[in-house]
Amino acid sequence: MGNLALTPGFFTTDGAAAQQSRYRSRRIRKGITCYYAPLDPPLGSSADPLTPDPPPQPSGPRPLLLFLSWLGAHPSAVSKYTDWYLQRGMDVLLVQSSALHFLWPRWGLQYGSEVLQVLEEPQFSGRPLLVYASSIGGYTFTQVLTHVALQPRSQLPQTVVGHIYDSLVAGTLEHMATGLGKTLVPCLESLVKNVALLYFRLFRSSTADLYHSGIQVFNNNPITAPALFFLSEDDALCDPAVVESIADRWRARGVSVETRKWKESVHAAHMRCHPEEYRSTLEAFLNSLPLASVTSRA
């Protein structure tokens, strides 16, 4: 099953512009974009990467990467993660969240429902699905799982072959408030954090209580495919003890869970800070998954 071996080029940007021209994108909904490589591009063509053509229909199930990005992720930063999968013949469904999805969880739940609806569309449903959630992306995926939990007949858990969580925002409300301060207005981090904590207290039934419900859903994640967590001990947005507790809970349910923890790193930037260790851990994990073999377009 080791069919998605990583290469050192995954962590370089040489020739990125040339690679970009090989891919196209289609806006599915606000915040949701599908990236794909045409199956049979004209020889010598330089297709516009934003040409709104529908994704090609492969003869067999083409693996799909669901990439739930961190808050405010720049396309060029996201592409450093997603391009490798595109080069290996996987399609990528990029889901980007806004701060409002987090600040008012009911909007986040609505967005989670939209993401699930997209995954259930004929062009995406039934395909081997690899989930990669970074930072707040883990929160958005939890909102998706909340709807899955309410739909016993949902096929999503059965299509997921693996799920990866990079810098999961986990812990107390203070961890969440700290994340908002560092992300929204870094120069006013302390002020934003205190305002956020006050906001959580004032609107507890519409914020903190729903966060707690989401945590319970994530703890009892219906997905039983292998999981991988990337984290660090110095991440102010992530309590390592909480992540380890989640991992132990999943293992007790028979889920294969791996964790890669660093003493020092940067939130949602472990790939940049520890490229070799990140690569080797990810390589071993992906090689263990039952992903259909695909042809590299690199």
Side-chain angles (χ1 to χ4, degrees), residues 66-70 93-95 115 131-134 137-138 140-141 144:
L66 175 65
F67 191 93
L68 303 108
S69 70
W70 59 95
L93 197 62
L94 172 63
V95 175
V115 174
V131 178
Y132 193 113
S134 179
T140 300
F141 190 56
V144 174

Side-chain angles (χ1 to χ4, degrees), residues 43 55 79 97 107 112 164 234 242:
L43 187 63
S79 69
S97 305
W107 290 344
I164 304 168
D234 64 341
V242 171

